[in-house]
Amino acid sequence: MPASNLDNLCINTIRTLSIDAVQKANSGHPGMPMGMADVAYVLWTKFLKHNPKNPDWFDRDRFILSAGHGSMLIYSLLHLTGYDLSLDEIKNFRQMGSKTPGHPEYGITPGVETTTGPLGQGFGTGVGMAIAEHFLSAKFNKEGHTIVDHFTYAIISDGDLMEGISHESASMAGHMGLGKLIYLYDSNRISIEGSTDLAFTEDPVKRFESYNWHVVEIDGHDHDQITAAIEEAQSVTDKPSIVICKTHIGFGSPNKQDSESSHGSPLGEDEVQLTKEAYGWDPEKKFYIPEEALNKFREAVSNGEKEEKEWNDRLTKYESSFSKEASLFNKWRNRELSSEMEKNLPVFDADEKGMASRAASGKVINAIKDVVPNLFGGSADLGGSTKTDIEGYGSYIIDSPTGRTVHFGVREHGMGAAVNGLALHGGMIPYGATFFVFTDYMRPAIRLAALMKVPSIFVLTHDSIGLGEDGPTHQPVEHLASLRAMPNITILRPGDANETSYAWKCALENTTGPTLLVLTRQNLPTQSRTEANPASWVRKGGYVFSDSDKEIPDAILIGTGSELQYAVEAKKKLADQGVDARVVSMPSWELFEKQDAAYKENVLPKAVTNRVSIEAAATFGWERYVGANGTAIGLNTFGESAPYKELYDHFGITTEAVVKAALSK
């Protein structure tokens, strides 16, 4: 059924704002906002639960524009419905410093729930948000007292469905039975190169039905069909839903509708005028918002304030009836860490045999699980290897929605995005685990977490050639260097069990970006230390582990992770030859770089140029710390398949190599 006159006025307002912004910027994607305006309008005015005056209201519905190239669609909706996004910002689309960047960016634009653009990431992130809602509702809702009850919606595109992550995430969501997840698929059959028939001819109905999704196909311009489809999706509680919306890209453009020419470039001034005339719009008016349309959209403000007030009233009643649970809920959504967390961190006795840092990490997780009760995560089918299962709380599965160990399956792409979605949703402290080499498969999610400043935690084991016989395919030689190049990321590669314990504290307290805990498969000696709380120095990133007796050491030996032990042993051997060396443990470049100049000079005095670093990875970047006269011991080739001790000897990553390098200066 066609829309009413007022509805059409509102929808064409979305379209013309989008067209004008793209044309003024001379850059952007006008076709998708034009084609999906009907669907978005129905969703935002009839279904979406949100408060434009409080974009962070906890029980709001989450809306993701996974098809982030169509960013003017969400910017138009945010401005029209009353968010803090002025018309001047719409006019500033894609310009320096504006709140309307080329793709939606979390933290830049009020109301944007996640950064999208890399196709498929929004799809995967939404799955994490739906997991969070599912867990929290099962954990806190009581009969007659519902405080967590919202949907996660997304507009997705052909491109999202072509990207591999969508397969992983869709399979995961269907298996988990995420009934509050509803995706609206803009099936316009056009991509940048032309018709999707050139590259994409699968049957999405059969595909998503096989994933255990509820599927419905509609005319994406028929408001009755859109309304009925969303209502039907909301009623399906045991599986996620996808509404396949058949739409016309560039809707209303006389010469560019249903053409790739409206996909990734402005319509052009002449076509803008023709399109506005086709809408019954004055072609000379730019960024025009009819008063009647604005009044309709701005109903979202009063509706949202009413919905949030009703929720606050429910929360007040909940607090009266369930004070203990309410206190916990409020702490969770504010990400408050218990003061007992640090007290519960295990302290490990010195032990030459020691343990793998992955094993120490597992002990930390289970030592703090009761005092960090919203710690929630799992692995990509590697729980036994990564030691990341939370014992005693069961698995998060359909029949046990409050289980705390997540089985992400062999899906690193999907896991990374889901962890980000959990973190963005709030209320949870999520982590995902795999072998370090497989960060190759979730690097886009790690990068987006860094870009968004989201506190996702990634536990990454089997961190070097130390994993041994699996060989070079599984030995992450270049990964430390490549990830250290990424802005706003914190990598911690602890040198023994006690450094691992404090590395977890650093991860839990880092709220401004992702933390990567890079851990060993092989045992590491638990080092003997003299300080009362030596592991606290981990927060500095680098510290003097064992000092020289001289005011100016003869040499500085810098070790990280599993190679700290070789620096410690080398100091002893060098002493026998009259060389008094300092050992520096450097578990985190990023944390060390945050220290002031005086601290860094105290640890690595410029006067000492005889420096040796040792790390079982590519040496790229170590010149920052060893200087022009120093030596970086590592390997700049791929690994080999052999027992790990043989590999260390083969590649010269040994105590003897450190001694030789220090003596050669």
Side-chain angles (χ1 to χ4, degrees), residues 134-152:
H134 188 216
F135 177 91
L136 292 169
S137 62
K139 173 72 176 176
F140 288 107
N141 289 348
K142 307 292 183 182
E143 186 174 352
H145 296 269
T146 300
I147 57 170
V148 181
D149 182 16
H150 52 266
F151 290 92
T152 300

Side-chain angles (χ1 to χ4, degrees), residues 627-658:
N629 296 318
T631 302
I633 296 172
L635 67 161
N636 294 306
T637 67
F638 290 112
E640 296 283 350
S641 182
Y644 83 90
K645 291 182 179 179
E646 292 181 25
L647 290 172
Y648 272 78
D649 289 338
H650 174 75
F651 288 108
I653 302 172
T654 62
T655 299
E656 290 70 27
V658 178

Side-chain angles (χ1 to χ4, degrees), residues 343-372:
K343 296 177 184 177
N344 279 53
L345 290 174
V347 176
F348 299 90
D349 294 333
D351 180 359
E352 185 175 342
K353 180 181 177 182
M355 67 181 71
S357 53
R358 62 168 176 160
S361 170
K363 291 182 181 297
V364 175
I365 289 171
N366 284 290
I368 64 173
K369 64 188 177 186
D370 294 327
V371 293
V372 189

